[in-house]
Amino acid sequence: MYQGEYILEMRNIVKVFPGVRALDGMSIKIRPGTVHAIAGENGAGKSTLMKVINGDYAPEEGEVVYKGKTLGKRTIMETIQMGISMIRQEMNPIRQMTIAENIFLGREPQKRKGFVDFKKLNENTNELLKELNMPFEASQKMDTLSIAAQQQVEIAKAISCNASVIIMDEPTSAISDHEIEILFEQIRNLKRKGVAIIYITHKMDEIMEIADEVTIIRDGAWISSGPIGDYTSDKIISLMVGRKISNIFPKEKAPIGDTVLEIRELCSRGVFRNISFSVKEGEILGFAGLVGAGRSEVMRAVFGLDEYQSGEIFVNGKKAEIHRTEDAIAAGIAMVSEDRRAEGIIPVRSARENITLPFIKKFRKHGLISKKAESRTAEKMIEKFQIKVSTPEQEIRNLSGGNQQKVILAKWLLGNPKVLILDEPTRGIDVGSKSEIHRLMCEYAKQGLAIIMISSELPEVLGMSDRIIVMREGRISGELIREEADQEAIMRLAT
């Protein structure tokens, strides 16, 4: 165990990207055996700071000091070998490989001639999974796992490195309450061993429960640091955004019109069965349930991402044959997937290109794409959705998670859909951006858009829904109207 007062220090870190000063003299000190929460809006510089720590980025000014020594330029693997590991918000597993191969990638046990010892690899992985109370097998392929399961594997991977510092970037964004309890117990065990945890989350209740200290940053600059006992949730939020957020769930009444989407007896073998529901113009229909209940799988089938064996889909009273995403889009259905990186964006393309791509034919003139018209439209959507970009040509991978999510929303709403499906629309998004997305939902509902929202956050489901459908084990277990719904009623149906 490191005996110094601070195991890790960031001293006057400056990081500049074209047109953006992402970090502006950032200084933070981390003590061994503590959980240090980093709070800030999307775009505040949290992820950039973490990438400076783990060797992704080299700062223009300042220094990173680890165990009393200044770190120079290094690779991510060298940083891991030093004892600093990171659980990333945007997971990037090698989906065709096993859990064991993903966890120990680059660190595989080897036989004498340099070949991987797969028997020992699987044994080590199964021991780790058992120790962490994770219900998986080493030989399972990553592409068979849900987003929540993949996130648990990322947590196991970080812990397997025997690190002295573990950075956790939104580690609970896709896992259930029960799995969060297990994670927090793992964090407490790591603290007892002297491991420092840098914990990034937008969930105030988690910060108040698990953190020992907190640092608030805004616009790339340090704002405040101190023991968690010196702060309340409201104080942290106020310091994060520089203003008071009076209503995170600005639900407004919208005129409820005719039925737009109706699902009858939809079934997918071994996944969900006998799913029937409808959603009307101006209505926000919430879907609640535990992770694995089948909510996302139903919506993926409705949008043509996954197959279903039987059942019918009607849009405006007419039967829609949906077997591909093109069929769904043509019918007037749009979907924001829960896996933003894999299914929502093209990381190496600009914000402009991501916004206009599904409807690029609209900008074709005499067989050629009018970039001027395309740019004009993208700029209007960027302004309307308050997307923070240095220029519309900025690559979307360099935007914060909240701004990426707003680009995805802008993209689908550009097509004027009749139905918008939102799967975990505010996962990993700060309080300010969350409030903006909720406001946009209300605005479009007032214009007659039918919205389906899946969320694992019960306050969000309760705060934004006109009606709530609860799923359990691949079936609908109940339905609640806004006036009768509360957390207890939802959990009773979910469990």
Side-chain angles (χ1 to χ4, degrees), residues 151 155 169-176 179-180 183-184 187 199-201 203 206 427:
Q151 190 132 23
I155 291 165
D169 191 355
E170 298 288 350
T172 65
S173 61
I175 61 178
S176 68
E179 289 159 345
I180 291 171
L183 172 64
F184 281 4
I187 288 173
Y199 196 91
I200 300 172
T201 183
K203 299 177 180 178
E206 289 184 9
R427 194 187 92 194

Side-chain angles (χ1 to χ4, degrees), residues 16-37:
V16 178
F17 297 109
V20 179
R21 196 174 179 88
L23 297 175
D24 191 6
M26 185 73 70
S27 295
I28 300 175
K29 297 178 179 180
I30 310 295
R31 302 175 196 272
T34 64
V35 176
H36 195 117

Side-chain angles (χ1 to χ4, degrees), residues 19 45 64 92 120 156 181 203 253 280 308 317 332 388 411 491:
V64 178
N92 196 21
K120 189 169 180 59
E181 288 175 17
K203 299 177 180 178
K253 283 193 174 182
K280 298 179 178 181
Y308 60 93
K388 293 178 183 176
K411 170 180 72 176
M491 289 308 297

